Amino acid sequence: DAGLRLDDAQHMIRRALAGQPRNGAYLDSYGWVLYKKGEFDKATRWLVKAATVMQNGDPVVYDHLGDALWQLGRADDAADRWGEAIETAEEQVSEDGERADLKKLIQSARAKIDAVRKRETPSVAAVATDTQQP
């Protein structure tokens, strides 16, 4: 997530996916590595796969997918995915109680949607500048 040693991370996640090709967390991680490398088309494909295999939904995957779609210039689709991130996170917070991580994601996703509605640039995840340095 820090954008460091992404080539190594990509290789390791590919190995994990070889053993568990329908593992949603691995699919999300692979898509996120591609996002961090600036490969938004590829990232989107992998993140869609992750969202598809995770039956109950994962707010982080929807948030990642929203960021990737935004980078592709698909603002409305991005806002829809951020909306799904909010909805899914709110359901999990109501079931699990206090979840600071999900509350932060909800706040961030709402800010992104508000920016899109105002035709402003949302604060999406940064792309790495160096994929090999620790």
Side-chain angles (χ1 to χ4, degrees), residues 32 58-68 81-82 84-85 105 108-109 112:
W32 200 236
D58 184 317
V60 173
V61 174
Y62 292 132
D63 187 53
H64 287 170
L65 182 53
D67 285 11
R81 296 305 76 73
W82 293 323
E84 287 182 273
L105 185 145
S108 171
K112 292 174 189 180

Side-chain angles (χ1 to χ4, degrees), residues 54-62 84-103 105-106:
M54 297 177 125
Q55 293 179 338
N56 295 330
D58 184 317
V60 173
V61 174
Y62 292 132
E84 287 182 273
I86 293 166
E87 183 179 312
T88 307
E90 287 176 339
E91 288 172 8
Q92 290 180 14
V93 167
S94 69
E95 292 171 5
D96 299 341
E98 196 65 31
R99 290 282 309 264
D101 59 326
L102 292 180
K103 289 180 179 182
L105 185 145
I106 291 166

Side-chain angles (χ1 to χ4, degrees), residues 107-130:
Q107 183 180 17
S108 171
R110 282 188 176 138
K112 292 174 189 180
I113 292 170
D114 287 344
V116 169
R117 288 181 181 152
K118 294 176 185 175
R119 299 186 189 268
E120 297 173 353
T121 301
S123 180
V124 298
V127 176
T129 57
D130 187 343

